[in-house]
């Protein structure tokens, strides 16, 4: 019996415990993020608390919902797994040799499963509002882009059927995210002290939503898009979810996966190429001497 208890404690200390943390951290992120979209798209209009069309105020709800989802997801998992809660972060850290490659796929799996389960819980809470919105619009679920958008992303209509514009958007958005994460966790730079890091990383996500979000829904996280996308496919949204086809886009499902993964590597690479060498050189060149410059 004693051996079994010791084994279980060891299990919690290893990779499996980190996967549990990544699962729950991603779950919190998606629960709050997707929940905020549900409020803006079907909750407020359907409840009678909003009488105007979807507008800028709704976008603020969504941007802050996702940002706060990141904050609390990182606080949940940060002390155990580092709270990647994003496959692009995991890959970016592995490429820069801050994270072992053997853990990449297990982290990805935990993140996608956490996102899938969170999407299912949001649906369980909002399915009445979703069905009412579809009935009011007079469209079946598998033709309702509006209610699908609660869970996963799609490109703006002005892109037409182009794949390059949305892909570039995802590369740039995720590159900004990883560049700023690298800056915020680098203690050689002006990294935040105490445990303010998660809050500021959440503000980064708010900023990305406010500046690049309308292009393609700022997935900037393959698990954030694919987990809920997979759920909506099983729940009746059909080809809108997989392969990601609607009036002006087709086969879109891979872009919120590949784009963020490329962007994560680009963002960490830019920081390590342009900022890290300067910090390293300044630290190595520091010498004891007067506090003011000599004439």
């Amino acid at each position: 019996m004693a051996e079994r208890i010791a084994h279980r404690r060891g299990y919690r200390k290893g990779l499996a415990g980190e996967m549990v943390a990544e699962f729950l951290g991603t779950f919190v992120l998606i629960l709050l993020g997707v929940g905020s979209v549900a409020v803006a798209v079907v909750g407020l209009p359907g409840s009678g608390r909003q009488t105007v069309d979807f507008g800028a105020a709704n976008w603020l709800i969504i941007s802050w919902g996702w940002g706060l989802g990141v904050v609390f997801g990182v606080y949940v998992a940060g002390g155990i797994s580092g709270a990647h809660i994003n496959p692009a972060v995991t890959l970016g850290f592995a490429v820069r040799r801050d994270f072992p490659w053997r853990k990449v796929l297990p982290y990805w799996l935990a993140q996608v499963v956490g996102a899938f389960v969170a999407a299912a819980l949001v649906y369980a809470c909002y399915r009445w509002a979703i069905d009412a919105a579809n009935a009011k619009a007079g469209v079946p679920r598998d033709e309702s882009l509006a209610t699908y958008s609660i869970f996963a992303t799609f490109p703006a209509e002005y892109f037409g059927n182009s794949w390059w514009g949305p892909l570039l958007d995802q590369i740039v958005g995720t590159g900004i995210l990883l560049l700023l994460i690298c800056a915020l966790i680098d203690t050689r730079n002006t990294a935040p002290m105490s445990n303010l890091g998660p809050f500021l990383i959440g503000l980064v996500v708010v900023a990305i939503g406010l500046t690049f979000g309308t292009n393609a829904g700022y997935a900037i996280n393959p698990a954030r898009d694919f987990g809920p996308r997979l759920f909506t496919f099983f729940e009746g949204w059909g080809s809108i979810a997989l392969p990601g086809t609607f009036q002006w886009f087709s086969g879109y499902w891979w872009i919120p996966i590949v784009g963020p993964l490329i962007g994560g590597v680009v963002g960490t690479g830019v920081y390590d190429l342009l900022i890290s060498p300067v910090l390293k050189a300044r630290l190595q060149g520091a010498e004891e001497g007067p506090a003011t410059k000599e004439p």
Side-chain angles (χ1 to χ4, degrees):
M1 186 66 176
E3 290 180 358
R4 289 184 179 178
I5 293 174
H7 175 72
R8 287 175 181 171
R9 287 175 179 170
Y11 152 83
R12 291 189 176 96
K13 291 180 181 178
L15 176 59
E18 295 173 28
M19 291 177 66
V20 170
E22 283 296 303
F23 165 85
L24 190 57
T26 309
F27 173 86
V28 169
L29 162 63
I30 302 304
L31 187 72
L32 299 182
V34 170
S36 72
V37 185
V39 166
V41 173
V42 296
L44 284 172
S47 67
R49 294 176 174 87
Q50 176 179 310
T51 57
V52 297
D53 292 335
F54 185 100
N58 301 79
W59 193 255
L60 287 174
I61 291 171
I62 292 171
S63 296
W64 280 101
W66 281 109
L68 292 173
V70 169
V71 171
F72 295 117
V74 174
Y75 277 127
V76 164
I80 300 170
S81 66
H84 296 183
I85 61 176
N86 183 341
V89 174
T90 302
L91 179 62
F93 285 178
V95 168
R96 74 189 311 229
R97 300 179 182 178
D98 278 350
F99 187 74
W101 281 100
R102 65 180 177 84
K103 293 184 178 182
V104 169
L105 289 181
Y107 267 49
W108 284 4
L109 175 63
Q111 292 155 358
V112 171
V113 174
F116 182 95
V117 174
L121 183 55
V122 172
Y123 173 78
C125 294
Y126 277 97
R127 65 184 180 88
W128 294 273
I130 290 170
D131 290 343
N134 287 338
K136 183 178 180 180
V139 296
R141 180 173 292 185
D142 62 356
E143 296 178 12
S144 177
L145 183 65
T147 54
Y148 163 79
S149 70
I150 294 169
F151 299 95
T153 65
F154 65 92
E157 190 169 359
Y158 47 71
F159 284 119
N161 199 31
S162 168
W163 60 268
W164 169 239
L167 181 66
L168 176 63
D169 171 80
Q170 288 300 291
I171 293 171
V172 171
T174 315
I176 293 169
L177 175 66
L178 266 292
L179 171 67
L180 296 180
I181 287 176
C182 289
L184 288 169
I185 66 175
D186 191 345
T187 55
R188 302 169 303 172
N189 208 328
T190 54
M193 304 301 292
S194 185
N195 58 352
L196 283 176
F199 181 75
L200 294 176
I201 292 172
L203 287 182
V204 171
V205 174
V206 174
I208 294 171
L210 295 178
T211 53
F212 289 91
T214 55
N215 272 339
Y218 73 112
I220 59 175
N221 180 336
R224 169 266 174 276
D225 187 84
F226 186 69
R229 181 182 295 271
L230 192 61
F231 173 78
T232 55
F233 175 75
F234 290 130
E235 202 55 47
W237 274 271
S239 62
I240 300 178
L242 288 172
T245 298
F246 193 64
Q247 296 171 3
W248 64 87
F249 58 89
S250 61
Y252 183 75
W253 70 274
W254 63 273
I255 290 178
I257 297 175
V258 174
L261 292 177
I262 295 173
V265 174
V266 170
T268 55
V270 168
Y271 188 85
D272 288 342
L273 180 65
L274 299 181
I275 300 298
S276 288
V278 177
L279 293 169
K280 183 177 180 180
R282 291 193 172 195
L283 288 173
Q284 289 178 342
E287 298 179 358
E288 294 184 4
T292 57
K293 293 182 180 180
E294 296 180 2

